[in-house]
Each structure stands twice: as C-alpha cells, then as structure tokens.
Amino acid sequence: MQKTYFVHALWDEEARVWVASSDDVPGLATEARNSEELLEKLKQMIPELLEANGTRAEGPVAFELLTRRFEFAA
C-alpha cells in the first residue's frame, strides 16, 4: 500500500500567502499566493525532498493538502 504524505497549509493574512509545511516530509516549507500555485509547488517539492532525505518513491507520490483559514463574517 502506498503511503500518503500529509501537508498542512495556513493562510497568513499579513503576508497574503498560504504557508505549507509537513511533519511527514522533512524540510518542506513553502508559500504561495493561491492554492493552485501551492499545489504545483508541492507536486515538485515533495518528491525532491523525499529523495533528498533518502526515501525513494516508486511512481507518483500521494499527498493530502489540509488547509486552514480563519475569517470574520460581518
């Protein structure tokens, strides 16, 4: 069974970017202006970081992006 890596992203209101990190992928720390840009960055970074940390993936790497953003309703 293929492992799924979990990535967490929080909205930084001051910087106006999504900030992503992961306990499953050592060294993962990135930011992007929107979720689509973030996903594209993660698709490239996750396999590269796993390989750099000695985890060679066979085939595509599965990951789940969990986002959290706090807002106020008027």
Side-chain angles (χ1 to χ4, degrees):
M1 180 165 190
Q2 183 177 12
K3 177 179 174 70
T4 299
Y5 296 90
F6 293 96
V7 179
H8 302 275
L10 298 174
W11 179 250
D12 182 328
E13 184 62 36
E14 186 175 320
R16 310 279 307 154
V17 294
W18 286 100
V19 179
S21 62
S22 175
D23 292 335
D24 292 344
V25 184
L28 179 63
T30 191
E31 61 185 42
R33 292 172 291 175
N34 58 56
S35 58
E36 293 80 17
E37 182 181 319
L38 182 60
L39 280 170
E40 291 307 311
K41 286 177 113 176
L42 293 171
K43 287 177 183 178
Q44 181 176 350
M45 291 180 72
I46 291 172
E48 290 174 358
L49 285 168
L50 290 174
E51 188 168 339
N53 286 296
T55 303
R56 186 178 265 306
E58 296 294 326
V61 177
F63 70 94
E64 182 174 345
L65 177 60
L66 306 167
T67 61
R68 177 172 278 176
R69 180 175 177 162
F70 295 96
E71 293 289 338
F72 294 95

